[in-house]
Amino acid sequence: MLVTGIGSLLTNDPSLAAATGDGSLAALGLLPGPAAVVIDGGRVAWLGPSSKAPPTDNRLDAGGRALLPGFVDSHSHLLFAGDRAPEFAARMAGRPYTAGGIRTTVAATRAADDAELAATLERFLGEALRQGTTTQETKSGYGLTTRDEARALAVAARHTDEVTYLGAHVVPPEFAADPDGYVALVTGEMLDACAPHARWIDVFCERGAFDGDQARAVLTAGAARGLVPRVHAGQLGPGPGVRLAVELGAASADHCTHLTDADVDALASAADTTVATLLPGAEFSTRARYPDARRLLDAGATVALSTDCNPGSSFTTSMPFCVAVAVRDMGMTPDEAVHAATYGGARALRRTDVGRIAVGARADLLLLDAPSHVHLAYRPGVPLAAAVWKAGVLRHVSPALGGAGFRA
């Protein structure tokens, strides 16, 4: 399959080309149009100027539209049941956000069967795909019993490779008087049941959840079972989460809203190991202070953007929305935000086969109904995903392209 007539090809490969203009990033590896990409066997087989494209069995004309890697959403909570719209409405009326609402979802999730959890997960994955997300991480954390955490992860593992065990989300009500007993469960029997279904282990290291010592116990136990750490850190206030993530070689420290100078320095020093994943949907939905992406980028940290899709504090699957908010309110340029939503997410998942367009990479591609990736921030709220390929398979086509030879 040859996709030709691409107006702007964003590869995230700095060796191919350099972006020019104010606020540009050489790391984007922008190829001006008309450009072309060849897909073969689910991988990118060739890319370059349209005039030099090799012959192929099938050919699609992008009509001057921009092509970029599919979004990599490295932080979400899609395994749940129930609805928390009343909580959102109350928050918009002035009630402050705390982590306590998680327990409402826990009760609903425990009552749901596997088929209901799977249907909800499939619905959100499809919703995200139609907006350009081709790699999706998701977590447990709304069961908080050995049985419910394990079955949620088993459901997730049937739909994505990026599955995270988050038994240490909050302490459930039945352990309110014995939080250390719950940590023992999370690091013992629950871990034994969940580890076979997961790649990652996470902990909510925050006031109202788990302190630094408890978080360390959870992450080191998971690492001993082969799970790679990631950490919820610095969402509600400063704490030990970021520096613990760096110390333990976690793949990411997520939220990073409240950071000390020492936190920023730690993330900058660990830029090759630990990604600072920013989740603007959470601040948007809780009216909290946004993370200062500019501070992290200027310090040299590696930054990712993700949705944090969950029923309480960030009920969105839209990576384009997160890009727009990051540009508007977090000090990122459009180039930096799109890079963080693609390549940055791949770094947070320690993946080299996604988040970029290069020979041999997985053919996860997003064709925008726009001439440039800048339109993702320039036209917020507009459905710009014209076509989406996942592993070389055309999975979504917008009505605008339905009559132009495109078929999903």
Side-chain angles (χ1 to χ4, degrees):
M1 171 69 71
L2 170 66
V3 183
T4 189
I6 300 165
S8 174
L9 177 57
L10 190 160
T11 68
N12 284 334
D13 183 348
S15 70
L16 293 179
T20 58
D22 292 341
S24 63
L25 273 181
L28 289 179
L30 282 172
L31 293 182
V37 170
V38 174
I39 303 167
D40 187 28
R43 300 277 171 174
V44 175
W46 181 91
L47 68 158
S50 288
S51 61
K52 298 182 179 179
T56 59
D57 297 329
N58 300 290
R59 177 187 178 100
L60 292 174
D61 189 345
R65 296 174 176 86
L67 188 75
L68 58 148
F71 295 121
V72 180
D73 189 348
S74 62
H75 183 126
S76 73
H77 303 251
L78 305 182
L79 292 155
F80 68 88
D83 181 83
R84 284 159 65 184
E87 176 189 321
F88 174 80
R91 198 161 58 238
M92 293 303 101
R95 191 179 77 189
Y97 172 72
T98 68
I102 293 171
R103 295 180 179 88
T104 303
T105 302
V106 169
T109 304
R110 288 177 178 180
D113 61 23
D114 289 5
E116 184 178 349
L117 292 179
T120 299
L121 176 60
E122 290 167 2
R123 176 163 65 91
F124 291 138
L125 290 174
E127 189 176 278
L129 180 73
R130 292 189 294 274
Q131 298 173 86
T133 298
T134 50
T135 301
Q136 182 78 58
E137 182 270 358
T138 196
K139 308 176 192 297
S140 65
Y142 292 121
L144 308 186
T145 67
T146 297
R147 173 184 176 272
D148 291 311
E149 287 293 292
R151 70 188 182 93
L153 292 171
V155 168
R158 293 195 289 269
H159 295 83
T160 178
D161 295 332
E162 302 300 343
V163 179
T164 301
Y165 167 45
L166 182 59
H169 200 181
V170 294
V171 177
E174 60 269 28
F175 280 90
D178 185 18
D180 288 338
Y182 183 66
V183 172
L185 177 65
V186 168
T187 58
E189 173 190 298
M190 189 185 290
L191 175 60
D192 291 340
C194 291
H197 306 296
R199 182 183 177 202
W200 310 97
I201 186 165
D202 200 344
V203 60
F204 192 13
C205 184
E206 192 70 68
R207 67 175 186 267
F210 299 90
D211 64 25
D213 291 340
Q214 292 167 331
R216 180 187 298 277
V218 168
L219 297 175
T220 54
R225 290 297 303 272
L227 302 182
V228 182
R230 13 185 20 93
V231 183
H232 282 61
Q235 178 185 5
L236 304 179
V242 166
R243 278 164 286 171
L244 181 63
V246 170
E247 176 193 337
L248 298 181
S252 64
D254 298 18
H255 285 289
C256 294
T257 307
H258 298 272
L259 300 179
T260 65
D261 289 344
D263 292 334
V264 174
D265 291 343
L267 288 166
S269 68
D272 292 335
T273 305
T274 303
V275 174
T277 301
L278 309 183
L279 310 169
E283 281 72 36
F284 179 90
S285 295
T286 60
R287 286 181 171 162
R289 185 184 85 189
Y290 285 104
D292 187 349
R294 182 82 271 135
R295 182 184 180 197
L296 287 163
L297 290 165
D298 288 348
T302 300
V303 172
L305 284 178
S306 192
T307 63
D308 191 23
C309 183
N310 74 81
S313 62
S314 183
F315 203 5
T316 180
T317 56
S318 177
M319 289 289 278
F321 167 76
C322 293
V323 167
V325 172
V327 172
R328 169 64 176 80
D329 291 308
M330 290 164 49
M332 301 184 87
T333 67
D335 289 355
E336 289 166 339
V338 173
H339 191 256
T342 52
Y343 184 79
R347 287 286 302 276
L349 294 176
R350 295 186 174 169
R351 297 277 295 271
T352 59
D353 60 329
V354 299
R356 64 193 185 106
I357 300 176
V359 173
R362 198 168 79 174
D364 288 359
L365 309 173
L366 168 59
L367 185 70
L368 297 180
D369 196 10
S372 165
H373 63 280
V374 175
H375 282 236
L376 289 163
Y378 179 42
R379 304 196 68 207
V382 177
L384 293 179
V388 181
W389 289 262
K390 184 172 180 177
V393 177
L394 188 58
R395 297 285 301 275
H396 166 72
V397 179
S398 75
L401 292 184
F406 283 75
R407 295 290 185 272

